Amino acid sequence: MNNIQLDDNGRLRHFIGIEGLPRHLLVDILNNAESFISVADKQVKKAPLLRGKTIANLFFEPSTRTRNTFELAAKRLSADILNVNISMSATTKGETLIDMLRNMEAMQCDMFVIRHGESGAPFFMAQHVAPHVSIINAGDGWHEHPTQAMLDMFTIRQYKGADFSALKVAIVGDILHSRVARSQIHALTTLGASEVRVIAPKTLIPKNVESLGVHVYDRLMKGLEDVDVVIMLRLQKERMQGALLPSQHEYFQYYGLTDAKLEVVKPDAIVMHPGPINRGVEIDSEVADGDRSVILQQVSNGIAVRMAVMSMILAPKSTEQKKDKH
Ligand code: CP
């Protein structure tokens, strides 16, 4: 499925998932994002790379971080951005996704950023768009959330350096329903992390997850021992069918991250969370707002990483190479 993401020269054409992408391409995204970080510090936060391009945000599920950072990223690259209000669109009158696409293409859109509850929706769209149009997956069902994983890798690199082979990373919580965890696991293993652990009650661990190259723990303190990075995940209650947990209270008792439980991690370990956080469910406020937390830095980094992905796909290749001069 990932071949559809690359053009004949191996460059990004769509960004649907991390699975199957080569390491050098993930490193290119991180390096490109580095060059965009400084744009945020300028008085005029603009680079002209995507002037004349039109990008449409199509969010069929709610979002605070992803939608707004895609919008800011597009604006900082000087693109025109449409935030399509799905609940007011003709999809509510029965228009299909494909017909919606065709109509948006007729408005000369160059890129669609799509979040959808159905796994595979962005892949389906990528199969049907016009040859000059690109798709970025902003999170699809349980499948992947690739730009979230890349902003997480960028944040890890910022705090821990570029050598992922020196790092032990623990991902804690609702692994089963998490598109973020799936993308993070692919990114971390591709970038060569020394060890990737997933920690959760057995009911929230996907079958055969070990085949992705991770170690499974069902005891939090054991799994956290000696790690450099702790990534907490929200319980995706909207995706749970049936009773997978006894109670939220009990979940917090066994899997909620508190300062006391962090005693076993490396002294300089960082705590991450893709958001939205549920305080007192998977993470205590003293951790979320504490010294180890880089949660808001992840959000800021999302702008530079999304600028990198959008420009790698859409910028004319000769100008993309000149971006360091913006
Ligand atoms: N991390 C993340 O996807 O957050 P939003 O749902 O707010 O976009």
Side-chain angles (χ1 to χ4, degrees), residues 252 257-259 277-280 283-290 293:
F252 183 70
L257 194 63
T258 59
D259 270 341
I277 62 173
N278 285 162
R279 293 169 186 266
I283 191 164
D284 199 71
S285 281
E286 66 189 2
V287 177
D289 305 325
S293 171

Side-chain angles (χ1 to χ4, degrees), residues 188-226:
L188 286 163
T189 52
T190 304
L191 290 170
S194 154
E195 196 177 330
V196 184
R197 302 175 184 177
V198 293
I199 309 173
K202 287 191 172 74
T203 49
L204 295 182
I205 296 279
K207 278 197 185 83
N208 302 323
V209 72
E210 293 91 343
S211 66
L212 300 180
V214 301
H215 300 261
V216 178
Y217 291 77
D218 64 359
R219 284 173 50 216
L220 178 62
M221 298 287 277
K222 190 77 193 146
L224 289 181
E225 257 173 34
D226 215 24

Side-chain angles (χ1 to χ4, degrees), residues 59 62-67 115 138 145 148 179-180 274-276:
F59 277 62
S63 166
T64 298
R65 283 146 290 270
T66 312
R67 196 180 90 130
R115 169 167 293 190
H145 190 348
Q148 177 67 47
R179 55 198 177 203
V180 173

